Amino acid sequence: MNATIDAITRQAVRSMDAGNWDAARTHWLRALDLDMNSPEIMLELSYLESLAGCYLAARDWALRAARAGTPSMDGVVSLVRRLRTFNEVPPLRQLVIGLLQAAPTSHGLLVECARQLSNLNDFPLALQCAEAAVAKAPDDLAARLVRGQLFAQHARIDEAVADFNWVLGRNPRIAIGWWILARLKKQTVQSNHLPQLRELSRMQGIRPADAAAVARALHKELDDIGDHAGAWEALERLCIIKRSMENYRPAETRNTFEALLAWSGGMNPPAVSQQQVRDHQKVPVFIVGMHRSGTTLMEQLLDGSPEIRGLGELSDFTSAMRDASDYYCKGTTDRAMVDRAAKIDFARVGHHYMEGLAWRLGDEKFFTDKQPANFLNIGFICEALPQAKILHLVRDPMETCFSNLRELFTDINSFSYNQEDLAEYFLQYRRLMMHWQAAYPGRILDVDYARLTTSTETVMREISRFCGIDYVDTMCSTVSSKRAVATASSIQVRDGVIHQKIPKWAPYSRYLQPLMYALRAGGAEIADLQT
């Protein structure tokens, strides 16, 4: 029997390598007939259906694998990653809780669970996995590194610093450790990591991703001490490295924006009475805008209300769109998803979204979904969730773009490492937001970031009225929020509401002429710097 399955498996793998999905599917199903409860074969079928472009079938095989029993160690890692891909958090959590209770679970598997749960904003369970991994293998660098990252997200800064120092003391080439360590506090001339970072930047054979992290750490620490020329040199290096790593296609971005601007959808969604909203439904509050526009600050302030549960940066709405369209879009959405939206059942999208979030919700009437890029999905959100409130953070064009330019993103925002591409994206975003405002009047509240930081109480009262919640004084401070923060603003948001009198881009204005010119050419107003 095993020899037969092995032979069929080899045939299936050869068919997959050749891109013959039908033949591969036939072989894997034959293998499953011989071993009907094999989660490993089900996972292979899940990967196959993903490659074949069948999102729902791929997800269903992953869920069947989760129900089939405990796979091999490699199979468990694959299962964790598959469930994360499909945003199937409850079965993933159930699997992880079982692993935490199983004594033989390896520390490496616990580290992987911590990473995936952190990506899903399940920080308490992620931290349990990281702590368990360190307990099993106190000298494991990966375990200490992921625990340090989670400590930072929970604002346990001293413990995070201790973990990163421990890791870097044993392997100074772990570049991401230097970058996070640089972020944890403002560096000074007397206390910084510049010698180590400069030495690391001169090393030969360093991976591009590590070189980018070192460059970002150098930029941050040099900026902290006021060496703006050196900081710009490091930032240019970061952008060059990241640009070489990314495969950004501006034409694809333009096509997606044009499709969204042309998308007609319902555009006149059926009216939903306020009584229905109050009595029968949880109310999502979507916080959207460009990345680095103040969305994290906005969520932390709203989290000061006892009526709101802050859920962080979620991918659940995109997952609901993938489910309804049977299509795995790239990122938040893409042109193909917009094309498929004409035939989507938006009631199904709304139900899938709310059902998928149910495990995260408590007694609060409202909850926040702070995924900035959901500005692309606003039309779909308005169709699927008539009760939803949408807060749009509006920040100065140069401040927004410069903050994106200097950020080390993972697999998103590949437009942000070139000044002209960044300006074009910003202008497209602004044009789309004007379109959504016209198409769905009254559904979106623009929140000016400068006003939010200078007249916090006034703005929070306006937001409270728009959302239909009672204003309380704790909504004017981030100190009252105890939730973990995983975004690039995770450290500075802990310092409360700060108004930057001199914009961060001001010392770099002579280097940013291409960005300024492109923004002005597109109609954006650039404020003159005060001398």
Side-chain angles (χ1 to χ4, degrees):
M1 178 83 65
N2 288 339
T4 302
I5 292 177
D6 287 345
I8 296 172
T9 295
R10 287 193 293 271
Q11 289 177 305
V13 171
R14 283 196 295 269
S15 296
M16 289 180 70
D17 289 343
N20 190 339
W21 313 130
D22 289 338
R25 186 182 294 111
T26 298
H27 294 314
W28 284 124
L29 289 172
R30 281 182 59 206
L32 191 62
D33 283 341
L34 297 174
D35 190 358
M36 297 181 65
N37 294 314
S38 169
E40 287 83 6
I41 296 175
M42 295 175 190
L43 287 168
E44 293 291 352
L45 281 160
S46 178
Y47 283 115
L48 163 66
E49 297 297 355
S50 285
L51 291 169
C54 302
Y55 176 83
L56 292 177
R59 185 193 64 188
D60 289 345
W61 280 117
L63 290 173
R64 284 184 62 177
R67 294 191 296 266
T70 305
S72 64
M73 190 59 65
D74 288 344
V76 176
V77 172
S78 294
L79 179 56
V80 167
R81 291 172 178 170
R82 286 271 86 188
L83 293 173
R84 161 69 180 93
T85 295
F86 299 111
N87 206 50
E88 290 291 344
V89 190
L92 175 55
R93 297 185 85 251
Q94 184 178 359
L95 172 65
V96 170
I97 290 169
L99 293 172
L100 284 169
Q101 295 169 348
T105 302
S106 74
H107 71 275
L109 177 54
L110 290 168
V111 168
E112 182 64 22
C113 291
R115 289 177 180 141
Q116 298 300 337
L117 289 165
S118 176
N119 289 335
L120 291 165
N121 283 9
D122 190 349
F123 300 112
L125 189 55
L127 185 56
Q128 284 186 52
C129 291
E131 294 272 34
V134 173
K136 284 178 177 288
D139 294 331
D140 184 74
L141 298 180
R144 295 288 282 265
L145 185 66
V146 74
R147 188 178 71 170
Q149 291 172 302
L150 288 161
F151 279 153
Q153 290 161 1
H154 283 81
R156 293 165 62 173
I157 303 302
D158 290 342
E159 292 165 287
V161 169
D163 267 345
F164 287 120
N165 282 332
W166 186 93
V167 168
L168 294 170
R170 283 152 181 78
N171 186 351
R173 295 188 63 142
I174 299 180
I176 194 66
W178 291 112
W179 161 223
I180 300 174
L181 198 58
R183 287 177 55 205
L184 291 177
K185 66 175 183 178
K186 184 171 183 177
Q187 310 300 313
T188 66
V189 174
Q190 295 77 24
S191 175
N192 58 66
H193 312 100
L194 291 171
Q196 300 97 314
L197 289 168
R198 288 188 171 116
E199 181 180 356
L200 191 54
S201 68
R202 291 190 293 266
M203 284 187 180
Q204 299 298 313
I206 189 171
R207 296 184 311 130
D210 291 332
V214 172
R216 181 62 181 96
L218 263 173
H219 168 74
K220 197 271 181 184
E221 297 211 2
L222 289 166
D223 179 78
D224 281 351
I225 67 172
D227 182 354
H228 297 119
W232 178 258
E233 182 181 344
L235 179 54
E236 278 193 310
R237 192 180 316 135
L238 164 68
C239 290
I240 291 169
I241 296 167
K242 287 290 285 184
R243 196 72 173 169
S244 71
M245 296 170 60
E246 306 285 347
N247 187 24
Y248 180 59
R249 296 186 176 94
E252 287 186 4
T253 299
R254 293 184 200 112
N255 286 339
T256 300
F257 274 102
E258 290 301 325
L260 286 166
L261 289 162
W263 183 75
S264 57
M267 290 304 181
N268 293 299
V272 176
S273 72
Q274 287 301 306
Q275 187 64 37
Q276 284 178 295
V277 173
R278 284 193 299 269
D279 293 347
H280 303 298
Q281 293 176 305
K282 297 278 188 179
V283 180
V285 180
F286 289 88
I287 304 173
V288 305
M290 284 282 287
H291 279 87
R292 313 297 296 141
S293 62
T295 55
T296 299
L297 174 62
M298 178 79 270
E299 183 173 52
Q300 291 295 98
L301 293 171
L302 282 172
D303 201 50
S305 166
E307 296 182 70
I308 297 181
R309 172 165 293 211
L311 300 186
E313 226 166 87
L314 306 176
S315 58
D316 290 67
F317 191 83
T318 289
S319 292
M321 290 291 291
R322 290 168 178 165
D323 170 85
S325 62
D326 192 15
Y327 168 69
Y328 189 91
C329 63
K330 295 184 292 185
T332 302
T333 195
D334 60 16
R335 174 60 189 263
M337 177 64 82
V338 182
D339 291 342
R340 289 175 180 238
K343 298 180 180 179
I344 278 180
D345 178 355
F346 281 100
R348 173 178 172 174
V349 174
H351 176 73
H352 185 95
Y353 175 79
M354 297 299 294
E355 187 177 51
L357 284 175
W359 71 274
R360 296 183 187 267
L361 303 178
D363 295 332
E364 300 89 348
K365 183 77 171 179
F366 299 81
F367 65 89
T368 55
D369 182 337
K370 189 209 77 70
Q371 173 54 261
N374 266 331
F375 78 83
L376 295 162
N377 282 329
I378 284 178
F380 308 146
I381 290 169
C382 288
E383 298 292 330
L385 297 161
Q387 79 274 28
K389 307 293 183 180
I390 301 169
L391 303 177
H392 169 223
L393 268 292
V394 181
R395 193 179 181 190
D396 174 83
M398 280 297 295
E399 290 185 56
T400 303
C401 289
F402 179 64
S403 193
N404 275 268
L405 184 72
R406 69 201 296 252
E407 189 51 62
L408 180 62
F409 294 108
T410 50
D411 57 352
I412 61 170
N413 295 3
S414 53
F415 58 82
S416 67
Y417 305 107
N418 173 277
Q419 294 190 46
E420 287 86 355
D421 287 344
L422 177 54
E424 180 184 4
Y425 190 93
F426 179 86
L427 294 168
Q428 293 271 29
Y429 139 79
R430 192 173 68 163
R431 181 183 172 208
L432 181 61
M433 286 308 307
M434 293 173 64
H435 169 71
W436 293 140
Q437 287 278 18
Y440 296 98
R443 298 296 305 276
I444 307 161
L445 178 67
D446 285 344
V447 179
D448 182 82
Y449 178 77
R451 283 190 68 229
L452 180 64
T453 57
T454 54
S455 304
T456 306
E457 180 177 341
T458 299
V459 175
M460 292 308 297
R461 287 183 180 276
E462 293 169 1
I463 290 168
S464 297
R465 285 193 294 272
F466 175 79
C467 292
I469 63 176
D470 294 326
Y471 171 82
V472 291
D473 289 339
T474 50
M475 294 170 66
C476 280
S477 171
T478 62
V479 176
S480 59
S481 178
K482 303 301 181 185
R483 51 184 298 275
V485 182
T487 69
S489 306
S490 59
I491 306 303
Q492 57 264 45
V493 78
R494 304 293 184 187
D495 295 331
V497 180
I498 299 174
H499 177 65
Q500 201 84 36
K501 292 183 179 179
I502 301 175
K504 290 291 291 183
W505 63 269
Y508 303 95
S509 59
R510 63 186 174 124
Y511 306 113
L512 296 171
Q513 293 305 304
L515 176 62
M516 296 174 70
Y517 177 82
L519 287 172
R520 281 186 173 131
E525 292 186 9
I526 308 300
D528 292 329
L529 294 174
Q530 299 297 315
T531 57

